[in-house]
Amino acid sequence: MHDDRFWIAREGDNIVGDYETTGLTLRRHPLALLRGRLKKRRIHTASEVAESRHGQFIRAAGIVTCRQRPATASGVIFVTLEDETGYVNLIVWNDLADRQRRELLGSRLLAVSGEVQREGRVVHVLARRLEDLSALLGRLATTSHDFH
């Protein structure tokens, strides 16, 4: 009888090694290994967010890949999260950014609670609360493209 935790830990070590040497992996996405833990926190996947209805309150999480504060955006920061199923685009208004600056700027793995905003095929989550879940990534080194 084998222990699944051993194989997941070994796979996790391989993924960490891939990220250390190339900045990416061709193996499973790191969040696929954490999905069970994220589900226990009622955190939805990017594909579930994409299928959600306008106005629905939802929780999602992902590796932060991009933070943008365009000069023309007047008081909003756009954040892109990535998980094993795709991307979640966040809208973070300045008042929340001011209150949760550490989570917004310091998280490698960011959870969001917010409202789904849908216009046609374009889906965003209007952030109401942010949570830093970076500790779940262990020693996995990730980078984001931040433009201010």
Side-chain angles (χ1 to χ4, degrees), residues 44-56 58 85 87-88 116-118 120-125:
H44 294 82
T45 65
S47 62
E48 291 169 333
V49 171
E51 298 300 318
S52 298
R53 70 185 182 287
H54 180 79
Q56 180 178 343
I58 199 161
T85 67
Y87 296 94
V88 176
V116 174
Q117 299 288 298
R118 174 182 294 284
R121 295 174 51 117
V122 177
V123 178
H124 291 89
V125 174

Side-chain angles (χ1 to χ4, degrees), residues 56-126:
Q56 180 178 343
F57 192 81
I58 199 161
R59 286 178 44 88
I63 293 174
V64 179
T65 62
C66 186
R67 295 175 184 92
Q68 299 180 72
R69 180 181 266 174
T72 59
S74 68
V76 69
I77 299 170
F78 299 104
V79 180
T80 303
L81 306 178
E82 174 190 290
D83 74 7
E84 72 276 23
T85 67
Y87 296 94
V88 176
N89 295 304
L90 308 182
I91 297 172
V92 181
W93 290 103
N94 276 343
D95 62 330
L96 179 63
D98 290 343
R99 287 193 320 270
Q100 294 202 269
R101 181 176 179 78
R102 193 190 57 177
E103 292 85 356
L104 176 64
L105 300 180
S107 299
R108 295 178 296 132
L109 177 57
L110 182 65
V112 61
S113 300
E115 184 181 325
V116 174
Q117 299 288 298
R118 174 182 294 284
E119 189 166 321
R121 295 174 51 117
V122 177
V123 178
H124 291 89
V125 174
L126 181 57

